[in-house]
Amino acid sequence: MKLFKTKKAPTTTESLTRLKETLELLEKREAFLQAKCNKEVLEAKKFLKLKNKRAAMTCLKRKKIYEGQIDKLYGAQMTLTTQIGAIEGAEATMRTLEAMKIGASALEAIHKDVTLDKVDNIMDDIKDQMEVADSLSMAISQGIGEPIDEDELEAELDALEQESLNDKFSDLQYVKVPSKLPSTVNLKVTISDEDEELRALEASLAV
């Protein structure tokens, strides 16, 4: 039979709260002792003015005692500050690890039904469907009717060009030039009425 019950370990929050409360108490104690030190200095100066060296020395001794207590409090404060920082750092690390664990579980759940073979099959299906889409697009773009023979069109175009050349040559008139020309060629010049009037006017002016 156990006479003493085992105390439950405090939580992180409880530990931090207790440490911070103790640190605050030590800081208040330090401020109190520092005020007493300052007071002893003032008392010592007062006794020195009164030429009471022994009383002044007693004040300085008390001041020295207070300063020793302040030094001890400072060491305790540094220890508490270090512990608080360590606990807060450990808590942050644990929370980070828990978050990472939750993230890993979420990724595992997402990838549970996804395998490399399934991904390959999906990609193959996508490629097949893209090929089907391309085939449909080509079929639609071809339109309706039989395909046109380009070579046949070229031959027909050449025939039309040859026919056009033949038509041009047929329109030309060839004149037969006699082998012997007459020695005298009578040229009949037709003078218009206007030319006759112009000559008559020039004759009248010359008179």
Side-chain angles (χ1 to χ4, degrees):
M1 181 178 179
K2 295 182 179 180
L3 298 177
F4 302 98
K5 294 182 179 180
T6 304
K7 291 184 178 181
K8 185 179 179 181
T11 63
T12 302
T13 303
E14 291 174 349
S15 299
L16 286 173
T17 301
R18 185 65 180 274
L19 288 170
K20 290 179 180 179
E21 289 176 350
T22 304
L23 181 60
E24 184 179 359
L25 180 62
L26 293 179
E27 290 173 349
K28 290 180 179 180
R29 177 65 179 171
E30 180 185 1
F32 173 74
L33 292 173
Q34 188 62 51
K36 292 181 74 67
C37 287
N38 297 336
K39 182 180 178 181
E40 294 297 335
V41 172
L42 293 176
E43 290 291 332
K45 290 180 179 180
K46 185 188 298 184
F47 285 123
L48 285 176
K49 289 181 180 180
L50 297 174
K51 306 297 182 181
N52 191 347
K53 187 176 180 180
R54 184 174 183 180
M57 185 64 69
T58 301
C59 291
L60 292 178
K61 287 181 179 179
R62 286 196 296 265
K63 172 182 171 290
K64 201 69 174 178
I65 293 172
Y66 296 148
E67 288 178 345
Q69 292 178 3
I70 290 174
D71 290 339
K72 292 179 181 179
L73 289 175
Y74 177 77
Q77 290 175 25
M78 291 302 298
T79 301
L80 291 175
T81 301
T82 302
Q83 287 182 325
I84 291 172
I87 293 173
E88 290 177 343
E91 184 180 18
T93 301
M94 290 301 300
R95 290 185 177 182
T96 302
L97 291 175
E98 289 176 359
M100 293 172 65
K101 184 178 180 181
I102 293 173
S105 298
L107 286 173
E108 184 179 0
I110 293 172
H111 296 155
K112 182 178 180 181
D113 296 330
V114 179
T115 62
L116 185 59
D117 291 337
K118 288 184 178 180
V119 173
D120 290 338
N121 292 333
I122 292 173
M123 294 305 297
D124 290 338
D125 291 340
I126 293 174
K127 291 179 181 178
D128 292 340
Q129 293 303 318
M130 291 299 295
E131 291 178 358
V132 172
D134 291 340
S135 299
L136 291 175
S137 298
M138 292 179 63
I140 292 173
S141 63
Q142 289 178 357
I144 300 173
E146 295 181 356
I148 299 174
D149 189 351
E150 297 290 338
D151 294 336
E152 183 179 351
L153 291 178
E154 289 288 343
E156 185 176 352
L157 182 61
D158 292 340
L160 289 175
E161 289 179 349
Q162 187 62 41
E163 184 178 350
S164 178
L165 291 174
N166 294 335
D167 292 340
K168 289 181 179 180
F169 283 119
S170 64
D171 291 338
L172 295 177
Q173 295 181 356
Y174 295 94
V175 179
K176 185 177 180 180
V177 179
S179 57
K180 294 182 179 181
L181 291 175
S183 58
T184 303
V185 178
N186 295 324
L187 298 177
K188 184 180 180 180
V189 180
T190 304
I191 301 174
S192 63
D193 295 338
E194 292 180 356
D195 291 337
E196 288 290 344
E197 292 177 357
L198 181 58
R199 287 184 178 184
L201 180 60
E202 289 178 349
S204 63
L205 291 175
V207 176

